[in-house]
């Protein structure tokens, strides 16, 4: 079976990608520190616990499995924390990536899919963001993603290692079969926090900013179901294994919803209105981030199939409810 090394495969998007890889006939080999990931999320191949900052450890895993392809998710991903502690992000995300790339080069330079983010576009005014826009992140987290994107190009020039960069918009929703789902600690994302408020596990949801130049004054985002994201990774790695050239793709639903739209959808899914409170803007939030996904449609042959807002919220609610019973929230 074709082995794919999946760094961060015990995390939210990574675990959904592993499930999709296994369904497509690959063997996902997970390398994860379990700092943010969960061992219960690794169900489709071996788990190698390790940190990319431990160069000997990643070297040993790469040499043991000799993967034919790689998907690199492992990363710290809290924008706010990256602002107050940039060193933590540069060290972990960028030094970790250097260690990984160097060990891959030593093992034949297999092609790599890199999980990047729409945060690299910064505060763009474009209605629909395309991959050709200038890259101008506005926080350290985004800067680490940009740095790794640049590194991948430099490594390709030097070694021939091909790459696919996937820039996610707002990953959301959970596996329809309820095997895996979103479980961050702390949780900062809108949909799980709104679900917690609707379930009365939190007092209320704060709406960060109600005076944006949008239809209802709240921020607009492009929510993409994690199962659709997972499918894009399988396509990307498959095309690289067939010899595709390096590329970069936006992954979103191509549609924007406001914070209030999400609140309404959560109310529908849960069957209960949720207490909300208007709050100040959160620093660094652009008013609108919506993807132009034509490049992924054209080249990856990918299109979002699970990303209606109601399906995203319903699958997230099903997962939230089942976890709540397990952890006794
Ligand atoms: N948001 C909010 N209240 C919250 C969390 C998020 O109003 O408690 C808003 C946030 O300002 C943004 C949107 O919801 O406009 C999505 O935020 P999230 O943190 O989920 O993802 P981001 O877009 O920051 O990656």
């Amino acid at each position: 079976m074709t082995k794919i090394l999946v760094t961060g495969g015990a995390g939210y998007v990574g675990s959904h990608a592993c499930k999709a890889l296994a369904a497509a006939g690959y063997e996902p080999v997970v390398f994860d520190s379990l700092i943010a990931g969960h061992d219960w999320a690794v169900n489709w191949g071996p788990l190698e616990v390790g940190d990319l900052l431990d160069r000997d450890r990643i070297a040993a895993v790469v040499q043991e499995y000799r993967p034919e392809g790689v998907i690199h998710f492992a990363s710290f991903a809290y924008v706010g924390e990256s602002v107050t502690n940039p060193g933590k992000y540069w060290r972990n995300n960028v030094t970790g990536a250097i260690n990984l790339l160097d060990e891959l080069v030593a093992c034949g330079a297999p092609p790599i899919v890199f999980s990047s983010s729409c945060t690299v576009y910064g505060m763009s005014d474009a209605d629909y963001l395309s991959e050709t826009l200038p890259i101008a992140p506005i926080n350290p987290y985004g800067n680490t993603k940009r740095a790794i994107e640049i590194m991948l190009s430099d490594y390709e020039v030097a070694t021939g290692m091909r790459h696919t960069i996937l820039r996610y918009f707002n990953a959301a929703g959970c596996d329809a079969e309820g095997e895996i789902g979103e479980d961050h600690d702390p949780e900062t994302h809108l949909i799980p926090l709104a679900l917690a408020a609707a379930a009365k596990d939190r007092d209320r949801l704060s709406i960060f900013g109600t005076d944006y130049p949008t239809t209802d004054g709240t921020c607009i985002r492009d929510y993409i179901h994690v199962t659709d994201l997972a499918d894009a990774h399988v396509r990307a790695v498959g095309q690289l294994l067939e010899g595709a050239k390096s590329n970069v793709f936006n992954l979103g639903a191509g549609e924007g919803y406001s914070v209030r739209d999400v609140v309404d959808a959560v109310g529908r899914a849960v069957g209960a209105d949720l207490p909300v409170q208007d709050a100040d803007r959160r620093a660094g939030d652009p008013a609108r981030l919506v993807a132009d996904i034509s490049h992924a449609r054209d080249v990856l042959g990918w299109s979002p199939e699970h990303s209606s807002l109601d399906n995203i919220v319903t699958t997230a609610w099903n997962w939230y409810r089942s976890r709540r019973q397990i952890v006794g929230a």
Side-chain angles (χ1 to χ4, degrees), residues 18-302:
C18 286
K19 181 170 180 172
L21 284 167
Y26 297 104
E27 181 183 9
V29 176
V30 171
F31 184 87
D32 199 297
S33 68
L34 300 183
I35 292 172
H38 307 282
D39 55 5
W40 51 254
V42 182
N43 300 320
W44 296 278
L47 167 62
E48 295 289 348
V49 178
D51 196 310
L52 287 174
L53 294 182
D54 181 347
R55 176 90 186 248
D56 292 342
R57 180 78 184 114
I58 185 60
V61 170
V62 166
Q63 290 301 332
E64 179 181 346
Y65 291 95
R66 305 193 72 81
E68 287 169 62
V70 181
I71 307 182
H72 177 41
F73 292 99
S75 162
F76 289 156
Y78 290 109
V79 170
E81 184 185 49
S82 80
V83 174
T84 54
N85 195 351
K88 177 175 176 180
Y89 278 68
W90 280 95
R91 190 172 304 107
N92 184 73
N93 295 1
V94 178
T95 306
I98 294 170
N99 287 345
L100 172 66
L101 294 188
D102 282 344
E103 292 310 326
L104 294 176
V105 168
C107 190
I112 182 167
V113 176
F114 172 55
S115 85
S116 188
S117 164
C118 67
T119 193
V120 298
Y121 297 118
M123 295 295 236
S124 172
D125 287 335
D127 281 346
Y128 293 90
L129 304 180
S130 78
E131 295 85 351
T132 53
L133 283 169
I135 297 305
I138 57 160
N139 55 59
Y141 166 69
N143 280 328
T144 66
K145 292 291 178 187
R146 172 171 69 172
I148 297 165
E149 289 192 2
I150 295 168
M151 257 167 53
L152 287 167
S153 295
D154 289 348
Y155 272 73
E156 179 170 19
V157 170
T159 71
M161 183 161 61
R162 288 169 297 116
H163 61 265
T164 299
I165 292 165
L166 300 178
R167 294 180 181 150
Y168 314 155
F169 283 65
N170 287 59
C174 297
D175 173 41
E177 288 159 8
E179 282 184 276
I180 42 177
E182 185 166 16
D183 192 345
H184 295 118
D185 183 20
E187 186 54 79
T188 61
H189 293 114
L190 175 62
I191 291 175
L193 291 177
L195 290 169
K200 309 288 181 267
D201 293 334
R202 297 174 64 89
D203 289 345
R204 65 186 68 83
L205 175 78
S206 293
I207 297 187
F208 295 148
T210 54
D211 60 349
Y212 284 99
T214 59
T215 41
D216 64 16
T218 66
C219 285
I220 292 184
R221 293 287 179 276
D222 181 337
Y223 297 90
I224 177 75
H225 198 290
V226 67
T227 299
D228 284 328
L229 282 182
D231 174 44
H233 289 75
V234 173
R235 288 168 188 267
V237 89
Q239 291 191 356
L240 283 172
L241 292 176
E242 286 166 9
K245 65 182 174 51
S246 295
N247 221 323
V248 53
F249 300 102
N250 285 338
L251 297 179
E255 285 178 51
Y257 292 99
S258 73
V259 175
R260 291 205 198 282
D261 291 332
V262 172
V263 167
D264 291 346
V266 166
R268 282 195 297 277
V270 176
D273 281 345
L274 52 148
V276 297
Q277 166 182 291
D278 292 354
D280 289 343
R281 291 183 177 196
R282 189 173 65 177
D285 268 346
R288 177 186 163 96
L289 285 175
V290 181
D292 173 347
I293 55 172
S294 49
H295 189 48
R297 281 188 197 279
D298 293 348
V299 179
L300 287 180
W302 172 85

